Amino acid sequence: MNMASALTEFERLAGESLPLLAVELALILVLFVIARYTHGWWSGVSTREELAERDNIAFGISLAGGMTGLCLVLSGVFHLPGPESMGWKAAWIGAMGLATLALIRLGRWWYDKLALHQVDKQGLILEGNIAMAMVDAAIAIATATVLLANLRWLGEISLAALFLLCLDYFIALTLLVVITRILEHRFKRINQGGSLQRALAQDHRAVALRHSAYLLACGKIIATAGALNPYNPATPMMNVGGWLMWSTIGLALLLALSSGLRYVVLAQIKVSREVELQNNSGIAILDGALVYASALLLANLIQP
């Protein structure tokens, strides 16, 4: 096979011309650059100074979470029907990328205001708080996972679909806040009045590892709700109600299954004491892995 036939075969498999693919890749690079600098602008700092001069690991983790989320959503945008002409297709992808950045940022802000309202997450990350940065990155990736699932569920971009996308997105954010409240209540009960938010503010990394795993697992479960609730443009409220119902059921199953796995796999180990009192990151990672494994198992059982 010569070079010309190889390129022709590549275009056939990609479903797009090489010039259009080149434009799309260039746009992706631009979007990632925008993601970097808007992250610094939102925090009121220079990304170069934070990353290269202050060597702020926490800031890097937070930024990486946002970029990973952007990549996840863009991977779904390419498979949506869009304009045929190169110029309009480029503008469409650029607009979708900018909208994704805005929604992920909005999701972070929403979670901060409702779930981390007792601490200054942004200020703590600038001070180098790695625990808070891990949670910030996790919420960005979890919400991006939900956005990606919504795009695939809708399969189109119209005014009605965008309305449902935003509505389902805020339902997902609210459910993540509810899960955080449940975990916060459990933390307070086990630790005799201790505060989950205060532990994160004190850079308790074992607690952050486990909490981040819960956020990622919950995002995965919420993202699978569409598999049990086929999209029907004629019944928008049924779509939203079904998404909320199946997400809630899935999260309840996640908590039950992960508790069962923890009881069996980590038998004779007092997980809460190891993680919350002794800052045992090894146990925290294992516990978080069990939670995410539960989400993967449930997601594969739910999805056809």
Side-chain angles (χ1 to χ4, degrees), residues 250-272:
L251 291 175
L253 290 173
L254 172 66
L255 294 177
L257 180 57
S258 61
S259 296
L261 280 178
R262 183 184 303 110
Y263 180 79
V264 174
V265 177
L266 298 178
Q268 299 180 344
I269 297 176
K270 295 183 178 180
V271 177
S272 295

Side-chain angles (χ1 to χ4, degrees), residues 11 16-27 82-95:
E11 286 186 335
E16 295 180 337
S17 65
L18 287 177
L20 181 56
L21 286 172
V23 170
E24 290 176 349
L25 289 174
L27 276 172
E84 294 296 331
S85 67
M86 183 181 297
W88 282 110
K89 185 66 177 290
W92 183 75
I93 290 177

Side-chain angles (χ1 to χ4, degrees), residues 58-135:
F59 186 84
I61 293 172
S62 175
L63 176 57
M67 287 190 169
T68 303
L70 173 63
C71 181
L72 281 172
V73 179
L74 286 178
S75 68
V77 169
F78 291 126
H79 298 287
L80 292 176
E84 294 296 331
S85 67
M86 183 181 297
W88 282 110
K89 185 66 177 290
W92 183 75
I93 290 177
M96 291 296 294
L98 293 174
T100 297
L101 287 173
L103 283 173
I104 291 176
R105 174 56 59 188
L106 184 59
R108 282 170 149 169
W109 176 83
W110 182 279
Y111 187 80
D112 293 349
K113 291 299 180 183
L114 297 181
L116 299 175
H117 59 287
Q118 297 175 359
V119 298
D120 179 11
K121 184 206 71 178
Q122 186 171 298
L124 289 167
I125 290 174
L126 293 179
E127 292 173 5
N129 188 312
I130 291 178
M132 198 62 74
M134 287 191 289
V135 172

